[in-house]
Amino acid sequence: MNKITVVGAGNVGATLAQRLAEKELAREVLLVDVLDGIPQGKGLDEWQSGPIEGFDTRVTGTTSYDAAAGSEIFVVTAGIARKPGMSRDDLVKTNAAIVKSVSQELKRVAPKAIVIVVSNPLDVMCWVAKEVTGFPRERVMGMAGVLDTARYRTFLAEALKVSVEDIQAMVLGGHGDTMVPLISYTTVSGIPITQLMEQATLDAILTRTRNGGAEIVSFLKTGSAYYAPSAAAVQMVEAIVKDKGRILPCAAWLEGEYGMKGVFLGVPCKLGAKGVEQIIEVELTSAERAALAKSAEAVRETMKAATL
Ligand SMILES: NC(=O)c1ccc[n+]([C@@H]2O[C@H](COP(=O)([O-])OP(=O)(O)OC[C@H]3O[C@@H](n4cnc5c(N)ncnc54)[C@H](O)[C@@H]3O)[C@@H](O)[C@H]2O)c1
């Protein structure tokens, strides 16, 4: 891949750019931000770690989208982060205006790009990006499920004292309090989780997963998580760059899948060179189906607050 542009050179964006470079997922990684000096300085600093880390990816930074022309992938992290006590939905108006302006610019300079949205409230920001760019649903997706699933897997591995690598799981639904962890699809090297763990332990882990973002905000006080979020977005980029056909939970635009349409929601997606190449419909229990519908309702409510 020639060029990947990361919009927003804050905590998530800058960490993401460094991870992309270390994995050499493109010849060039470009950081774009409105704060003059920040993307340039961070880009230069990251590029200079190349000889030590052993990568040849050129990292640069700018405030102008012209340098992003022809980027194959955009990762959008621009926006303000959640502050303590602030819900993701409180962010909607400010971040919708930011994601709108970013989407207009990226459409202008890279009309064929694939867009991965990270800015919160995630599912609504995906909708803003899709509406403003007019890109097909294959090329606009959101990162949330990979992160939520990673948090869930971390806590499960700790409780079971097994490797995180042996935990397979899916967390669907909107990014936020209404996320839907699929217990029936949570396994440890193929063994159903319910055979290995008491329901009470599992319930406590599910609650901690739901509050995963807030737990970190309460520690940091002046910002939100960025190491795991940037790693999660890079996993999606890698699946696309390497055309891996990975099945990952991503926010995707539904057109009838799971009985819903006209909303972005976390669902299992096949990610490859074309972006979201397939949305996979798995069998759900009636409780999971109801939880997913409730999650979609919460996303629709938040969409009302965003003006395009
Ligand atoms: N989807 C997820 O799971 C997830 C996880 C973590 C963070 N987030 C979200 O990602 C976003 C970024 O988080 P962060 O911790 O990096 O915040 P941050 O404040 O560190 O960085 C945000 C950056 O965006 C820049 N920015 C603002 N307006 C811009 C514009 N119009 N164009 C370009 N850049 C602009 C800011 O100058 C800043 O550098 C937030 O909305 C946060 O809530 C989402």
Side-chain angles (χ1 to χ4, degrees), residues 50-72:
I52 305 163
E53 289 297 330
F55 64 79
D56 283 305
T57 295
R58 174 79 194 253
V59 189
T60 52
T62 178
T63 54
S64 157
Y65 282 85
D66 293 340
S71 295
E72 288 109 315

Side-chain angles (χ1 to χ4, degrees), residues 205-219:
I205 287 175
L206 292 173
T207 303
R208 193 171 178 200
T209 303
R210 269 196 192 92
N211 299 326
E215 185 178 359
I216 291 172
V217 170
S218 71
F219 281 119

Side-chain angles (χ1 to χ4, degrees), residues 113-168:
I114 291 174
V115 183
I116 301 174
V117 178
V118 178
S119 311
N120 274 322
L122 192 270
D123 307 274
V124 179
M125 293 306 112
C126 291
W127 170 68
V128 172
K130 187 176 179 300
E131 285 292 304
V132 175
T133 58
F135 289 179
R137 72 168 177 167
E138 289 75 17
R139 292 201 279 123
V140 184
M141 71 200 81
M143 185 292 290
V146 176
L147 171 64
D148 294 331
T149 304
R151 287 177 173 152
Y152 182 42
R153 290 169 62 199
T154 304
F155 302 146
L156 287 172
E158 186 202 31
L160 293 169
K161 298 191 173 34
V162 300
S163 168
V164 287
E165 291 183 77
D166 289 334
I167 313 264
Q168 299 81 34

Side-chain angles (χ1 to χ4, degrees), residues 10-12 33-35 77-80 95 98 118 120 143 147 175 225:
N11 283 337
V12 177
D33 202 290
V34 284
L35 294 177
T77 77
I80 62 161
N95 283 356
I98 291 172
V118 178
N120 274 322
M143 185 292 290
L147 171 64
H175 185 44

Side-chain angles (χ1 to χ4, degrees), residues 6 12-22 29-31 46 57 59 230 234:
V6 178
V12 177
T15 315
L16 182 62
Q18 178 75 23
R19 291 189 193 281
L20 292 173
E22 286 179 2
V29 172
L30 182 70
L31 275 166
E46 293 187 5
T57 295
V59 189
S230 57
V234 169

